[in-house]
Amino acid sequence: MRDETLKRIHTVGRLLRYGPVLITLGMPGFAQKSQAGSSNPLEITLSRSKVVIENGKEVSKKADVAKPGDVIEDLATYRNTSGSALKDFVPMLPVPPNTELILGSVNPGNAKASTDGRTFSDMPLRRKVRQANGVELEQLVPLSEYRYLRWYPGEIGAGKSQGYSARFKLSDGVPGSPVTAQK
Amino acid sequence: MKTLSTPQPMRNRAIQVLLLVLLSLGLLILGSQAFAAMAPANSVIGNQASATYVDSTATTRTSTSNTVQTTVAQVKSFLLTQSGMKSASPNQQVCYPHTVTNTGNGSDTYALNAPTTGGMFAHTSLAYYLDADQNGAPDNGSAITASGPLAAGAAFNFVVCGTTPVGATVGQQGTIIVSATDTNAPTANTQSQTDTTTIAVASITVAKRLSSVPPPGYTPVPSGPSPNAGPLYVILDYVNSGTVQGDNVQITDVLPSGWLYVPGSGRWSGSGMSVLTDAAGGDPVGITYSAPAMAVSGTIAATVTAVSGSTSGNLYFQITIAPNLAVTVPGNQAVTTNTASYQYSYTYFNAVTMMNQTVMVPSTNTNSVLYSVLPVAGVVANGSSSTTGATDAEPVTVAGAGAGQTISWTDYIWNTGNGVDTFDIALLNTPLNGSGCAVTNNAMLGQCTFPVGTTFQILAAGGMTTLLDSNMNSTPDTGPIPMPSGMTCPAPYIASTSMPARCGLPIVITATIPAGAPAGNNGGNGFQVLVGATSSVNPTVTESVPNRLNAIAAATVDLTNNVSVVGGAVVADGLGPDNLSVITSNSVTPAVAASTTTRFRLHVNNTSTVAQIYNLSGTFVSVPVGVGLSTPPAGWTIAFRDDGGLGNCTTVGGTVTSTGAVPIAPAGNRLICAEVVVPSTNSSAMGTPTLAPPGNYVLQFRAEQQSDNTVFDTKRDQITVQPVHSVTITPNGAQSTVPGGAVTYTHAVTNSGNVSESITFPTAGFLTNSQVPTYAWSTTAYVDTNMNGMLDIGTDTPIAVGMTTFMLPPNGSQTVFVRVNAPAMAGSPPNVTTLTATYNAGGSTASANDTTTLTDGLKLDKYQQLPAGTGSCTTTPAVTLTMGVPNAPWSNMAIAASANTVPGRCISYLIVGTNTTAANITNINVSDLVPAHTALDTGCGAPAVTGPIALTGGPYATGYTGMVTAASSPLTTTPLPPATSFTLQFCVKINDI
């Protein structure tokens, strides 16, 4: 069971890396609009779906319930409801607790990631670890420690919409896809 | 001869143990990799997106999305441990300890399937028994078949017991297979383990117990805190159920890292209360004992020289539980699980070989004893990102903020308990996102002292997203804060640098100060809100951190002239509060007949910390005294306009009353053009004071924060109106008379400037005739002394050179007459009489010209009036002549400028020709020019004549300009009889400018 699930995740990852990226997997039935006040020119709608493989094809399902090892996709749609462009637009999508980012699923793929919400770097994340002998080695940060994604599109035009998405595996106590496999 | 040998089945078992060790090692390596624990069943995985951006006001803002949630379903899995090996005599009960550990993410129940037996002999009376105290023996005589509910991560300890057959022989091995099954659907999971019993004549079994009292007492201690309250006793019971003596029974107990040996605590039943020395040697006869010399984990080794058949004894020592151990979970049980091992030999007479044979029984593990560290909740909320002291970096302070500003604090919630814990975050006595501080009792409790209307938010690290509620109790929380792994914590948690290492979570609290909040520091106490963190493991465990704002700064705005604050404005530009000084002075010379506009450049500078809109206003502080003006002065207007785009108010945009819908960003400014309209010097009615007398007009401009009118700045500017000297004599006249006749011209001397003028006639040339001396024209000027508008010779004062003078205030007028006597002889060309008055202290003059034409007896007079008295263009004035003079209000006097003489109004003209001779006059041609800046308008009367003349020229339609002409009709035969008159009447409209 676990191996099959991992295989599905890898398959999804390959599809996302090499095939057309679908970001319209949102389930309107369980998406809600931001409750921001009317003066807020940026409307953000977050939707979630569960990604499964049925008969060799990727299918989106409702994500109200999922089990460890399942893959969910969060899609944030940003809409500028004002009459002028919003500058320095930086959308952010957290990696939910008890989940692990599927690296190749980030769309658009030029996002930066962070483990603390403050320092964002290109993926895959790396860090220096001091060994017992005092020597510092650069290591890849485990995917389970990725907690935030940010994009830097610059601006969102008046009346325009933009979508940003990523997929996450519900933690199942098994190490996720090796980061190096995503290179 | 003694022969040492290891039975083949035992070697196989040893290999299995080695494999298990390696497997365990492999799992440990795997476990050391960073990966998250399995998501708990029924937990909720939420998420919320956000974004930062800069809006059209150049303000950085943050927006958040709705939240999405997924409930985690249960996944069932478990682990059954462990296989066992023992030696036993024939017809002896043997028991093997086992543990079921729930490795799924939710509670489950496990069926204990009926044990089976196999091998070279069959165990009988197989059954499972509870072994809650993990001593490897049944807790009671009741057989069990299931575990009962077992929480995720929990373990269930039991033993399986069976009896060896009476006929079993030394060296034979029998097995017991135990198995357990979970409730997974649709297919349940089953796991099994095999226990092996070897028949021996010396059958020594060592069992381990953990007790709070020494033998012979026994009080099991399956769990407790870290550290424990007092020393615990590790009891190693041994029994030889065989018939042959066991030799050199070596017991080796390697303590786990969470168990600390108590030096000098070793005791042996064979020596009573004699102390077993920890160091080598010095032990009682029959035993050797060694143990650590200090309170550390280590190895306790003991060898009992001989254990006779059918005898038993025990060895015990004390341990303590190490402090700061994490709560026991399946992944860390090794820290507090203790398993000893033992080995021995025995010698028996082999009836087959007829020799004594020595058998080395290989090392066998005792049962394992787990001390489960119970959760002890602990939390510290402080302001330190690295240390866990309860008051470290407290209070978390923001030095100052302005009304309307949103401020934030970063607090740190540290899990100082011994296990994973989730902490609810709340602002004490303070609702979120609503009415702000609940003031009631707050003054006493000190929990929230922010101004009423302050709103708060609890955000995740980074301050961009809402702190979510992970445990679905309607309160935001930290999520499960784990225990550190060494000195590290998995993201997003951080590790402390203070010892012992703890994991913590930064959170962000924001407070939005209401726009109208008064400035101040709350009596020096500042403003405070307490942020509380409450354990989910033990809700009575709570801690708080004060978030403080030292002072609310006054919102400010600064109004400057010409230069903005960021552009380098200084006090001379109006920087700072209004010091009542005039900053900018504009000199204005008003026009006589039109208004004049002057502008001031105002920079509205937002010197607060919040973007704001400001309302604009302007008032007159003072006007020239003694000139009859009120404050504000009539006729003056103040307006505010956008700059026209050049940045200097030389061109302007539309009128505004505020700085606009787009708030001015903090430290920003906006250029506003303050436009003041100065009325013309003669804009008020004749006989009333001018609206624009010279002097200084001080204005005060004000920029007032739209959301709080107590926040404003004013500054003063000034307009200096210059003196305007302007006197006119009107109108120029034109009449005709016969030789020897006389005509009178009526003039108005009018002061249209803004200062009083002394009117003088200083030289003889003040009254001249153009045809003198060639022709005997003579002229006299009079002041209308009795002010009746009529020349009353003998009453009105003749103007005398250098003698006559009169004062004219602004808008004042004096009537003067010019009486022109024609020469007795005909033949003079038209005579122009010029009247010149001197004013402005002799510096200026004003003149009027009267043209008198000699006729043969046809006298022409011209009159005018404003139709209907208002300059109506739809009313035709009526004419009634009496002795050649038309009815009032026809007049040959000037019409004073007024609101009725503005563009668009109409004036009617009437020319009256009278035959002053005794004979008929024929061949009359009369003409008059439509005045400049006017055009014929038929609405107030098309050109019309009376008497023996008819219109010529034309056509005379509205808009016509040029001559209006008429002639005798027929020209040569129709006479104008003596003492009769004709009239020519037409009407013109004043052109629009």
Side-chain angles (χ1 to χ4, degrees), chain B residues 165-187:
Chain B
V166 174
T169 60
V170 173
Q172 283 187 315
Q173 288 187 320
T175 59
I176 302 172
I177 299 175
V178 301
S179 70
T181 302
D182 67 10
T183 62
N184 191 54
T187 303

mmCIF file of all heavy atoms in Angstrom, chain B residues 165-187:
data_model
loop_
_atom_site.group_PDB
_atom_site.id
_atom_site.type_symbol
_atom_site.label_atom_id
_atom_site.label_comp_id
_atom_site.label_asym_id
_atom_site.label_seq_id
_atom_site.Cartn_x
_atom_site.Cartn_y
_atom_site.Cartn_z
ATOM 1 N N PRO B 165 6.090 -30.904 28.305
ATOM 2 C CA PRO B 165 5.583 -32.242 28.630
ATOM 3 C C PRO B 165 6.513 -32.977 29.617
ATOM 4 O O PRO B 165 7.718 -32.711 29.668
ATOM 5 C CB PRO B 165 5.544 -32.942 27.277
ATOM 6 C CG PRO B 165 6.508 -32.189 26.434
ATOM 7 C CD PRO B 165 6.515 -30.792 26.921
ATOM 8 N N VAL B 166 5.944 -33.868 30.312
ATOM 9 C CA VAL B 166 6.698 -34.654 31.301
ATOM 10 C C VAL B 166 7.796 -35.461 30.629
ATOM 11 O O VAL B 166 8.911 -35.599 31.122
ATOM 12 C CB VAL B 166 5.742 -35.603 32.065
ATOM 13 C CG1 VAL B 166 6.519 -36.534 32.996
ATOM 14 C CG2 VAL B 166 4.729 -34.792 32.845
ATOM 15 N N GLY B 167 7.518 -35.942 29.420
ATOM 16 C CA GLY B 167 8.462 -36.833 28.767
ATOM 17 C C GLY B 167 9.502 -36.157 27.911
ATOM 18 O O GLY B 167 10.288 -36.827 27.220
ATOM 19 N N ALA B 168 9.557 -34.891 27.956
ATOM 20 C CA ALA B 168 10.559 -34.193 27.141
ATOM 21 C C ALA B 168 11.945 -34.464 27.670
ATOM 22 O O ALA B 168 12.140 -34.625 28.878
ATOM 23 C CB ALA B 168 10.290 -32.702 27.152
ATOM 24 N N THR B 169 12.883 -34.519 26.755
ATOM 25 C CA THR B 169 14.246 -34.848 27.135
ATOM 26 C C THR B 169 15.148 -33.658 26.927
ATOM 27 O O THR B 169 14.839 -32.729 26.158
ATOM 28 C CB THR B 169 14.763 -36.037 26.330
ATOM 29 O OG1 THR B 169 14.721 -35.689 24.947
ATOM 30 C CG2 THR B 169 13.920 -37.275 26.578
ATOM 31 N N VAL B 170 16.282 -33.717 27.623
ATOM 32 C CA VAL B 170 17.229 -32.602 27.573
ATOM 33 C C VAL B 170 17.634 -32.320 26.131
ATOM 34 O O VAL B 170 17.952 -33.236 25.360
ATOM 35 C CB VAL B 170 18.478 -32.929 28.424
ATOM 36 C CG1 VAL B 170 19.543 -31.855 28.231
ATOM 37 C CG2 VAL B 170 18.102 -33.042 29.884
ATOM 38 N N GLY B 171 17.584 -31.055 25.759
ATOM 39 C CA GLY B 171 17.997 -30.636 24.417
ATOM 40 C C GLY B 171 16.850 -30.511 23.436
ATOM 41 O O GLY B 171 16.982 -29.892 22.373
ATOM 42 N N GLN B 172 15.712 -31.082 23.778
ATOM 43 C CA GLN B 172 14.582 -30.951 22.849
ATOM 44 C C GLN B 172 14.055 -29.503 22.871
ATOM 45 O O GLN B 172 14.099 -28.820 23.906
ATOM 46 C CB GLN B 172 13.460 -31.903 23.256
ATOM 47 C CG GLN B 172 13.713 -33.352 22.880
ATOM 48 C CD GLN B 172 12.495 -34.218 23.144
ATOM 49 O OE1 GLN B 172 11.857 -34.101 24.209
ATOM 50 N NE2 GLN B 172 12.164 -35.084 22.204
ATOM 51 N N GLN B 173 13.541 -29.079 21.699
ATOM 52 C CA GLN B 173 12.995 -27.717 21.608
ATOM 53 C C GLN B 173 11.546 -27.771 21.126
ATOM 54 O O GLN B 173 11.210 -28.498 20.181
ATOM 55 C CB GLN B 173 13.809 -26.859 20.635
ATOM 56 C CG GLN B 173 15.175 -26.497 21.194
ATOM 57 C CD GLN B 173 15.902 -25.524 20.299
ATOM 58 O OE1 GLN B 173 15.840 -25.668 19.076
ATOM 59 N NE2 GLN B 173 16.610 -24.587 20.892
ATOM 60 N N GLY B 174 10.733 -27.012 21.790
ATOM 61 C CA GLY B 174 9.354 -26.844 21.365
ATOM 62 C C GLY B 174 9.057 -25.365 21.175
ATOM 63 O O GLY B 174 9.736 -24.501 21.755
ATOM 64 N N THR B 175 8.083 -25.071 20.361
ATOM 65 C CA THR B 175 7.783 -23.676 20.057
ATOM 66 C C THR B 175 6.351 -23.326 20.429
ATOM 67 O O THR B 175 5.471 -24.184 20.470
ATOM 68 C CB THR B 175 7.988 -23.374 18.559
ATOM 69 O OG1 THR B 175 7.126 -24.222 17.807
ATOM 70 C CG2 THR B 175 9.425 -23.607 18.152
ATOM 71 N N ILE B 176 6.163 -22.029 20.671
ATOM 72 C CA ILE B 176 4.818 -21.456 20.852
ATOM 73 C C ILE B 176 4.708 -20.288 19.870
ATOM 74 O O ILE B 176 5.581 -19.410 19.837
ATOM 75 C CB ILE B 176 4.596 -20.932 22.278
ATOM 76 C CG1 ILE B 176 4.807 -22.047 23.292
ATOM 77 C CG2 ILE B 176 3.200 -20.330 22.417
ATOM 78 C CD1 ILE B 176 4.785 -21.565 24.732
ATOM 79 N N ILE B 177 3.683 -20.330 19.060
ATOM 80 C CA ILE B 177 3.475 -19.230 18.100
ATOM 81 C C ILE B 177 2.320 -18.375 18.607
ATOM 82 O O ILE B 177 1.215 -18.877 18.811
ATOM 83 C CB ILE B 177 3.174 -19.766 16.689
ATOM 84 C CG1 ILE B 177 4.374 -20.592 16.189
ATOM 85 C CG2 ILE B 177 2.856 -18.608 15.737
ATOM 86 C CD1 ILE B 177 4.133 -21.261 14.859
ATOM 87 N N VAL B 178 2.631 -17.083 18.849
ATOM 88 C CA VAL B 178 1.590 -16.138 19.280
ATOM 89 C C VAL B 178 1.266 -15.238 18.092
ATOM 90 O O VAL B 178 2.127 -14.946 17.258
ATOM 91 C CB VAL B 178 2.050 -15.299 20.477
ATOM 92 C CG1 VAL B 178 2.395 -16.194 21.637
ATOM 93 C CG2 VAL B 178 3.235 -14.428 20.105
ATOM 94 N N SER B 179 0.013 -14.813 18.036
ATOM 95 C CA SER B 179 -0.360 -13.892 16.953
ATOM 96 C C SER B 179 -1.456 -12.948 17.438
ATOM 97 O O SER B 179 -2.208 -13.274 18.353
ATOM 98 C CB SER B 179 -0.828 -14.653 15.707
ATOM 99 O OG SER B 179 -2.062 -15.273 15.937
ATOM 100 N N ALA B 180 -1.484 -11.787 16.814
ATOM 101 C CA ALA B 180 -2.488 -10.770 17.129
ATOM 102 C C ALA B 180 -3.032 -10.206 15.831
ATOM 103 O O ALA B 180 -2.328 -10.152 14.815
ATOM 104 C CB ALA B 180 -1.870 -9.661 17.980
ATOM 105 N N THR B 181 -4.290 -9.776 15.886
ATOM 106 C CA THR B 181 -4.965 -9.252 14.690
ATOM 107 C C THR B 181 -5.682 -7.956 15.043
ATOM 108 O O THR B 181 -6.336 -7.868 16.095
ATOM 109 C CB THR B 181 -5.991 -10.275 14.158
ATOM 110 O OG1 THR B 181 -5.316 -11.500 13.856
ATOM 111 C CG2 THR B 181 -6.690 -9.751 12.914
ATOM 112 N N ASP B 182 -5.545 -6.947 14.139
ATOM 113 C CA ASP B 182 -6.223 -5.673 14.396
ATOM 114 C C ASP B 182 -7.612 -5.682 13.785
ATOM 115 O O ASP B 182 -8.090 -6.712 13.309
ATOM 116 C CB ASP B 182 -5.372 -4.499 13.900
ATOM 117 C CG ASP B 182 -5.233 -4.471 12.387
ATOM 118 O OD1 ASP B 182 -5.945 -5.243 11.699
ATOM 119 O OD2 ASP B 182 -4.411 -3.681 11.881
ATOM 120 N N THR B 183 -8.272 -4.506 13.761
ATOM 121 C CA THR B 183 -9.656 -4.421 13.261
ATOM 122 C C THR B 183 -9.715 -3.750 11.907
ATOM 123 O O THR B 183 -10.756 -3.224 11.503
ATOM 124 C CB THR B 183 -10.529 -3.640 14.251
ATOM 125 O OG1 THR B 183 -10.012 -2.305 14.363
ATOM 126 C CG2 THR B 183 -10.551 -4.299 15.613
ATOM 127 N N ASN B 184 -8.586 -3.713 11.208
ATOM 128 C CA ASN B 184 -8.581 -3.034 9.911
ATOM 129 C C ASN B 184 -9.597 -3.681 8.978
ATOM 130 O O ASN B 184 -9.750 -4.912 8.933
ATOM 131 C CB ASN B 184 -7.182 -3.110 9.296
ATOM 132 C CG ASN B 184 -7.053 -2.202 8.094
ATOM 133 O OD1 ASN B 184 -7.336 -1.020 8.204
ATOM 134 N ND2 ASN B 184 -6.628 -2.751 6.961
ATOM 135 N N ALA B 185 -10.306 -2.851 8.234
ATOM 136 C CA ALA B 185 -11.291 -3.348 7.284
ATOM 137 C C ALA B 185 -10.896 -2.873 5.880
ATOM 138 O O ALA B 185 -10.321 -1.803 5.716
ATOM 139 C CB ALA B 185 -12.685 -2.821 7.643
ATOM 140 N N PRO B 186 -11.152 -3.648 4.855
ATOM 141 C CA PRO B 186 -11.868 -4.931 4.908
ATOM 142 C C PRO B 186 -10.957 -6.096 5.288
ATOM 143 O O PRO B 186 -11.461 -7.178 5.586
ATOM 144 C CB PRO B 186 -12.372 -5.087 3.472
ATOM 145 C CG PRO B 186 -11.350 -4.381 2.645
ATOM 146 C CD PRO B 186 -10.888 -3.226 3.468
ATOM 147 N N THR B 187 -9.659 -5.894 5.245
ATOM 148 C CA THR B 187 -8.765 -7.005 5.570
ATOM 149 C C THR B 187 -7.980 -6.682 6.826
ATOM 150 O O THR B 187 -7.236 -5.692 6.861
ATOM 151 C CB THR B 187 -7.777 -7.255 4.408
ATOM 152 O OG1 THR B 187 -8.521 -7.501 3.216
ATOM 153 C CG2 THR B 187 -6.898 -8.456 4.721
#
